[in-house]
């Protein structure tokens, strides 16, 4: 309430001036690129937490994914195509306060037109929201609201994209993979030719039938230091896929798995580092098929007491590409590492583990996440609700003729 008409007019004039001042600040304030780079500095330093009030930093795989979305580069082009949109390049010069919901909706719509998947667009949106959350911190107050809250995402078709392999399929998929990428496959003449050649590592790898990573190691002198020093300490891909199928480890967990965390006598493997607090330090049973795969790999690289189990990068697109080539030659339907994780969950469920145990072995923080895995898994063949209960009762009280 105003005491008179003059007070009301004066107040209205101040409000109009304030609004004009806000509009002006939006045109001269810090740019989206400046705020994004400040935020990214915290991410790379490991001081930006995933959630407010939590000390857990972003996982390495998430950081790599966010880097591609924010800055582009080779990783982003590999995942999303040569024309992948980089947020800093596209939006970086605009004042962050001037970017409203209509602008960000146009970015989302462009990603849809470019054929990006629902999950990929969600990654873009996650990065944008992280940046706005940072910009709204009390010590910054660069913006006062998040314009992405009401954005319309493309409809998710709801289809289950995870393929769950049977136990027999999992064994065949691993068996079809090469045992190792042995440096012993190269003669000393081939080594000298590789080091003298100006061809790319990819071209030389195809020419000599080895990976381009191995070519790089030969060129750098990490392998074949002398004509007799031909032993390769690089594992193949079987160990990594074995961990995925038989322990349900995430991609980042496979990449960090260490030989010292394989407990041969106890038949367990410890996941020392995980993207979730619930997943760190968990011990997963080491079943027979996995123990055989790991023992063969362990002996082939000289029985190390420490070091990485998987020496190749599981984050690289080449990891899946190598497996796809092997499976295509064997006429086997492909799976991804995440689908192998779902397959492990199906093994646990078919073996009779309860939901709490499955949550623990998968390293989930809550049962809700585990429930998303379980609801998409096939019911074990030949097992009805009646048959399952009758089988249990038969073991307890014996068969009863109806």
């Amino acid at each position: 309430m105003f005491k008179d008409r003059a007070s009301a007019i004066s107040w209205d004039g101040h409000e109009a001036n304030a609004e004009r001042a806000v509009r002006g600040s939006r045109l001269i304030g810090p740019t989206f690129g400046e705020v994004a780079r400040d935020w990214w500095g915290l991410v790379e330093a490991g001081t930006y937490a995933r959630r407010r009030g939590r000390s857990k930093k972003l996982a390495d795989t998430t950081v790599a994914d966010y880097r591609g979305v924010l800055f582009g580069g080779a990783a982003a082009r590999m995942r999303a195509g040569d024309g992948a949109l980089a947020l800093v390049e596209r939006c970086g010069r605009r004042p962050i306060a001037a970017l409203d919901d209509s602008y960000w909706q146009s970015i989302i719509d462009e990603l849809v037109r470019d054929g990006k998947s629902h999950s990929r667009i969600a990654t873009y949106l996650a990065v944008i929201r992280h940046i706005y959350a940072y910009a709204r911190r009390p010590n910054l107050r660069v913006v006062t609201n998040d314009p992405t809250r009401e954005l319309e995402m493309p409809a998710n078709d709801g289809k289950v994209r995870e393929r769950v392999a049977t136990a027999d399929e999992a064994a065949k998929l691993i068996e079809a993979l090469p045992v190792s990428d042995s440096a012993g496959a190269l003669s000393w003449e081939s080594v000298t030719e590789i080091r003298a050649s100006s061809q790319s590592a990819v071209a030389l790898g195809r020419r000599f039938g080895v990976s381009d990573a191995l070519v790089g190691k030969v060129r750098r002198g990490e392998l074949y230091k002398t004509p007799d020093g031909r032993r390769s300490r690089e594992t193949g891909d079987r160990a990594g896929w074995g961990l995925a199928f038989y322990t349900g480890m995430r991609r980042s967990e496979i990449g960090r798995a260490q030989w010292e965390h394989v407990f041969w006598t106890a038949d367990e493997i410890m996941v020392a580092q995980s993207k979730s607090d619930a997943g760190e330090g968990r011990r997963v049973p080491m079943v027979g098929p996995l123990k055989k795969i790991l023992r063969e790999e362990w002996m082939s690289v000289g029985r190390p007491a420490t070091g990485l189990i998987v020496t190749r990068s599981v984050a690289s697109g080449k990891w899946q590409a190598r497996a796809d080539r092997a499976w295509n030659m064997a006429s086997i339907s492909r799976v991804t590492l995440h689908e192998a994780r779902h397959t492990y969950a199906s093994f646990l469920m078919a073996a009779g583990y309860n939901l709490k145990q499955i949550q623990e072995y998968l390293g989930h923080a809550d049962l809700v996440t585990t429930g998303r895995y379980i609801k998409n898994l096939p019911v074990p063949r030949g097992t009805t609700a009646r048959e399952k209960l009758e089988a249990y009762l038969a073991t307890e009280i014996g068969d009863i003729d109806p």
Side-chain angles (χ1 to χ4, degrees):
M1 294 292 292
F2 301 98
K3 63 181 181 180
D4 53 38
R5 183 170 177 272
S7 297
I9 293 173
S10 176
W11 175 85
D12 187 55
H14 286 307
E15 284 293 294
N17 289 336
E19 176 61 28
R20 282 193 293 272
V22 170
R23 284 199 298 268
S25 68
R26 287 176 179 171
L27 299 177
I28 60 175
T31 65
F32 177 82
E34 291 169 341
V35 177
R37 289 187 178 92
D38 289 344
W39 169 73
W40 189 250
L42 297 180
V43 172
E44 290 200 315
T47 57
Y48 183 82
R50 285 204 310 264
R51 297 179 180 88
R52 188 175 298 174
R54 303 279 185 89
S55 60
K56 187 72 173 176
K57 67 177 184 178
L58 295 168
D60 292 342
T61 50
T62 303
V63 171
D65 216 17
Y66 283 6
R67 183 185 294 110
V69 164
L70 200 57
F71 302 108
R77 288 194 295 272
M78 185 180 298
R79 284 194 59 140
D82 290 340
L85 185 151
L87 290 174
V88 168
E89 181 181 351
R90 172 62 65 84
C91 322
R93 295 185 180 87
R94 297 171 179 262
I96 188 170
L99 303 180
D100 56 13
D101 55 350
S102 63
Y103 175 81
W104 290 117
Q105 187 65 60
S106 70
I107 294 294
I108 297 297
D109 293 343
E110 180 181 339
L111 293 170
V112 173
R113 289 193 300 272
D114 289 344
K116 300 296 184 291
S117 67
H118 184 278
S119 61
R120 191 61 181 164
I121 296 173
T123 302
Y124 275 90
L125 192 54
V127 171
I128 297 167
R129 285 174 172 167
H130 274 302
I131 292 169
Y132 273 96
Y134 169 72
R136 292 166 57 204
R137 285 184 171 184
N139 62 327
L140 295 177
R141 291 294 184 189
V142 176
V143 294
T144 57
N145 69 312
D146 182 355
T148 68
R149 288 183 176 181
E150 303 298 326
L151 297 185
E152 292 186 9
M153 286 284 287
N156 195 350
D157 57 15
K159 294 179 180 178
V160 181
R161 62 183 179 88
E162 286 84 10
R163 180 170 96 80
V164 175
T166 65
D168 184 57
E169 283 180 314
K172 289 179 179 178
L173 284 161
I174 295 174
E175 186 66 27
L177 298 171
V179 175
S180 66
D181 189 13
S182 174
L186 293 174
S187 65
W188 184 251
E189 290 73 19
S190 298
V191 170
T192 55
E193 192 172 346
I194 286 173
R195 288 174 178 164
S197 175
S198 60
Q199 286 185 288
S200 68
V202 174
L204 289 170
R206 290 173 181 167
R207 179 178 168 188
F208 292 102
V210 296
S211 70
D212 56 332
L214 181 58
V215 170
K217 291 181 179 181
V218 170
R219 279 178 162 170
R220 294 191 297 270
E222 296 174 13
L223 299 173
Y224 289 98
K225 295 181 180 179
T226 66
D228 296 324
R230 300 180 185 178
R231 183 179 181 83
S232 172
R233 299 183 67 85
E234 183 176 58
T235 59
D237 293 343
R238 287 191 177 188
W241 284 101
L243 290 172
F245 276 117
Y246 297 122
T247 70
M249 286 188 189
R250 300 175 176 94
R251 183 186 298 270
S252 59
E253 293 168 349
I254 294 170
R256 298 182 184 129
Q258 303 275 337
W259 285 117
E260 57 262 40
H261 298 142
V262 178
F263 304 114
W264 300 105
T265 305
D267 289 329
E268 288 182 334
I269 299 177
M270 185 176 75
V271 182
Q273 291 181 286
S274 175
K275 65 182 291 185
S276 67
D277 293 328
E280 286 192 356
R282 70 184 190 272
R283 291 194 176 213
V284 184
M286 181 167 56
V287 293
L290 176 60
K291 189 171 186 178
K292 180 176 182 293
I293 293 167
L294 290 182
R295 188 169 290 279
E296 289 175 352
E297 292 279 6
W298 179 63
M299 294 180 70
S300 71
V301 294
R303 304 184 181 189
T306 60
L308 294 173
I309 295 176
V310 180
T311 55
R312 290 170 163 179
S313 172
V314 294
S316 169
K318 296 175 184 177
W319 175 273
Q320 185 71 51
R322 286 194 300 271
D324 288 346
R325 283 195 298 270
W327 294 333
N328 185 52
M329 291 178 63
S331 300
I332 304 175
S333 298
R334 74 190 291 268
V335 297
T336 64
L337 279 176
H338 191 67
E339 288 168 341
R341 180 168 160 83
H342 276 254
T343 296
Y344 175 68
S346 75
F347 292 165
L348 293 178
M349 187 175 71
Y353 288 83
N354 62 45
L355 195 60
K356 187 66 178 176
Q357 289 173 310
I358 296 175
Q359 175 197 354
E360 179 185 343
Y361 291 145
L362 290 174
H364 286 154
D366 53 64
L367 286 172
V368 175
T369 306
T370 308
R372 297 194 195 107
Y373 276 61
I374 299 304
K375 72 179 182 181
N376 294 327
L377 298 179
V379 176
R381 289 172 293 184
T383 303
T384 65
R386 180 185 63 82
E387 289 170 344
K388 188 172 183 178
L389 181 56
E390 280 193 348
Y392 165 73
L393 293 174
T395 60
E396 296 296 318
I397 61 177
D399 293 325
I400 299 176
D401 292 328

